[in-house]
């Protein structure tokens, strides 16, 4: 079926461009060209073909009717494209927002990890300081005991 429309497009397109045929025949070929384009959902091109056919035959009700239908379909198509574009933008904005939130969560997790590591290093340093202090006390205590023991001997 698709091939038939493609063949019709070629035939009616070629016939509509000829200048050695009557306006009535050109209008008819443009009308049929418009119909073929309409069936292929090429509404913008269909509208152009119907308008040209209507220029050649201004009183043709069937051309006016099909032109009206093609204009409605073109408007629907454009609205659908706009809706798709809007949906894509919304989806992208949502993704960007999620990425930003995830980035914030990652940053918070990194900060928490850094704080934990700093806390561990601080406890280790504090522990080393305590150990040094204990060693000093033990040295003093032993040193004092040692002198006291030597004095009693």
């Amino acid at each position: 079926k698709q091939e038939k429309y493609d063949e019709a497009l070629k035939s009616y397109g070629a016939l509509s461009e000829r200048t050695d045929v009557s306006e009535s025949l050109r209008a008819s070929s443009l009308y049929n060209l418009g119909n073929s384009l309409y069936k292929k959902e090429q509404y913008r091109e269909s509208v152009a073909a119907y308008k040209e056919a209507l220029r050649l035959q201004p009183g043709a009700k069937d051309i006016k009717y099909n032109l009206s239908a093609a204009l409605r379909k073109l408007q629907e198509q454009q609205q659908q494209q706009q809706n798709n574009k809007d949906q894509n933008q919304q989806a992208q904005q949502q993704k960007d927002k999620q990425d930003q939130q995830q980035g914030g969560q990652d940053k918070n997790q990194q900060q928490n990890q850094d704080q934990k590591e700093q806390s561990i290093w601080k406890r280790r340093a504090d522990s080393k300081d305590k150990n040094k202090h204990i060693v000093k006390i033990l040295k003093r205590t032993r040193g004092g005991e040692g002198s006291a023991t030597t004095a009693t001997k």
Side-chain angles (χ1 to χ4, degrees), residues 31 35 38 46 50 61-71:
Y31 173 75
N35 290 342
Y38 183 92
S46 176
Y50 289 137
K61 290 181 183 179
D62 53 344
I63 297 173
K64 287 180 184 179
Y65 178 84
N66 285 11
L67 173 59
S68 176
L71 285 168

